[in-house]
Amino acid sequence: MKLTDTLIKVINKAYPENEFIETNFGSYDLSLKTDDDGRAIMIFIGKKDANGKIRGERYARRLKFGSNGEVIKDHWEHKGPATP
């Protein structure tokens, strides 16, 4: 699954810090892991199996900051299957 603009708006929201959040996005199950500032840094998107694990795709966020803390680069990388 490709990250759409609508999905990126959902995952770019501020969430509780250092949490693993499970939610739904359309017909997909979505799990996000957040960093110290409440930004999503890893997402799993797909369908949950009988054990509660998501079978689908995994993405990781790459953030690069400047010397005064501004975000220089914000990029999502596809890391492959969420649960092989």
Side-chain angles (χ1 to χ4, degrees):
M1 171 179 195
K2 189 172 173 105
L3 296 180
T4 62
D5 291 335
T6 309
L7 178 57
I8 289 176
K9 285 180 186 177
V10 170
I11 59 181
N12 281 345
K13 289 184 197 176
Y15 290 98
E17 301 168 354
N18 297 317
E19 293 283 328
F20 197 77
I21 299 158
E22 293 185 354
T23 186
N24 292 333
F25 177 75
S27 63
Y28 295 102
D29 295 312
L30 178 68
S31 294
L32 350 136
K33 182 178 180 185
T34 61
D35 64 3
D36 294 336
D37 296 320
R39 292 183 294 252
I41 56 171
M42 187 175 297
I43 62 170
F44 301 93
I45 187 163
K47 289 287 190 184
K48 282 188 180 180
D49 64 9
N51 297 326
K53 293 183 181 180
I54 292 186
R55 298 214 178 258
E57 301 298 320
R58 178 173 61 110
Y59 291 87
R61 189 178 199 178
R62 299 291 175 225
L63 292 167
K64 188 173 185 180
F65 297 96
S67 58
N68 59 354
E70 81 277 3
V71 176
I72 295 173
K73 189 181 261 188
D74 184 352
H75 175 73
W76 284 97
E77 293 181 17
H78 182 251
K79 294 296 189 177
T83 305

